[in-house]
Amino acid sequence: EAGVTQSPTHLIKTRGQQVTLRCSPISGHTSVYWYQQALGLGLQFLLWYDEGEERNRGNFPPRFSGRQFPNYSSELNVNALELEDSALYLCASSLTRNTEAFFGQGTRLTVV
Amino acid sequence: KNEVEQSPQNLTAQEGEFITINCSYSVGISALHWLQQHPGGGIVSLFMLSSGKKKHGRLIATINIQEKHSSLHITASHPRDSAVYICAVSAGTASKLTFGTGTRLQVTL
């Protein structure tokens, strides 16, 4: 069975541009979580989607947004990229809320 | 003070040693997770605990809800265990994880 898949794996963008990251959860999982791991920092919660709705978001500005599609895959959008947005972005999925989360390999975003 | 504290931050061990990584948290939780992150960033979920003890191969995780403390033990450590081990908690119905800063483990021959 396929795990959580993220695309792309690596990405380089210029400051001010917009980026879209994609996540496909494990089949049957309805909850998708996005996390940011900036260089030298710990993992920070970004967004949680469940059954197509945004259920919670972390302490990030509105230029970080996303959505979840009817097939439960998800996109994370970041507008007006800043240098400090350079990070590993991890997606995780779980069967339902508060069940075990499984992580993807991440997308490494570099903003120059 | 972080909601989730891990110790030690860095740990070097020789192959075969018994390793313990500790995690303390300050909030009520619904579950505690132990994660492993290898160089390159990919994260693997090792355990999800809400009480007691779980074992998988050479890994053992315990949690004491009253003391708000969990430990991850690795028996007969091996260089392939070298990674960052991260403790994370989920609280209430928010379902989002709050992470510790991780313990960097290096196991040498």
Side-chain angles (χ1 to χ4, degrees):
Chain A
E1 182 183 329
V4 178
T5 57
Q6 292 186 243
S7 62
T9 54
H10 294 83
L11 198 53
I12 299 175
K13 287 286 191 177
T14 304
R15 190 170 49 183
Q17 285 188 311
Q18 179 265 344
V19 69
T20 297
L21 310 181
R22 295 178 174 83
C23 173
S24 292
I26 291 172
S27 178
H29 286 194
T30 62
S31 275
V32 172
Y33 314 84
W34 287 95
Y35 300 92
Q36 182 198 63
Q37 187 178 42
L39 190 63
L41 298 179
L43 283 153
Q44 301 287 327
F45 167 73
L46 260 169
L47 289 161
W48 169 36
Y49 292 95
D50 183 60
E51 296 282 359
E53 300 283 333
E54 182 180 304
R55 302 295 182 181
N56 202 357
R57 66 179 291 130
N59 189 24
F60 282 84
R63 56 191 186 81
F64 286 83
S65 65
R67 55 180 173 167
Q68 186 178 34
F69 298 96
N71 66 355
Y72 303 116
S73 67
S74 178
E75 283 181 353
L76 172 68
N77 299 293
V78 187
N79 293 321
L81 283 166
E82 300 179 3
L83 296 178
E84 53 264 34
D85 297 332
S86 295
L88 179 70
Y89 290 85
L90 284 158
C91 171
S93 74
S94 64
L95 193 59
T96 61
R97 65 183 68 187
N98 280 336
T99 53
E100 187 171 9
F102 294 83
F103 286 80
Q105 289 295 305
T107 294
R108 189 166 295 281
L109 172 66
T110 302
V111 182
V112 297
Chain B
K1 183 172 164 55
N2 292 332
E3 291 181 339
V4 182
E5 299 272 356
Q6 282 186 242
S7 64
Q9 287 188 320
N10 294 283
L11 184 56
T12 301
Q14 284 197 315
E15 184 177 12
E17 286 187 9
F18 180 85
I19 288 162
T20 296
I21 301 171
N22 296 299
C23 175
S24 297
Y25 52 91
S26 58
V27 296
I29 66 169
S30 54
L32 183 142
H33 305 249
W34 281 103
L35 310 170
Q36 181 192 55
Q37 185 172 31
H38 280 283
I43 287 186
V44 174
S45 177
L46 298 174
F47 295 103
M48 177 177 166
L49 293 165
S50 54
S51 66
K53 177 179 173 178
K54 285 189 176 180
K55 184 176 189 293
H56 185 257
R58 296 181 293 105
L59 302 177
I60 303 166
T62 63
I63 187 168
N64 184 318
I65 298 294
Q66 287 73 33
E67 294 186 3
K68 293 186 166 58
H69 181 270
S70 175
S71 293
L72 175 69
H73 306 285
I74 304 175
T75 61
S77 59
H78 190 277
R80 65 175 174 268
D81 297 326
S82 298
V84 176
Y85 292 83
I86 302 168
C87 171
V89 300
S90 51
T93 58
S95 281
K96 69 179 180 74
L97 294 176
T98 301
F99 298 88
T101 52
T103 295
R104 185 174 300 276
L105 170 66
Q106 183 165 1
V107 181
T108 59
L109 291 170

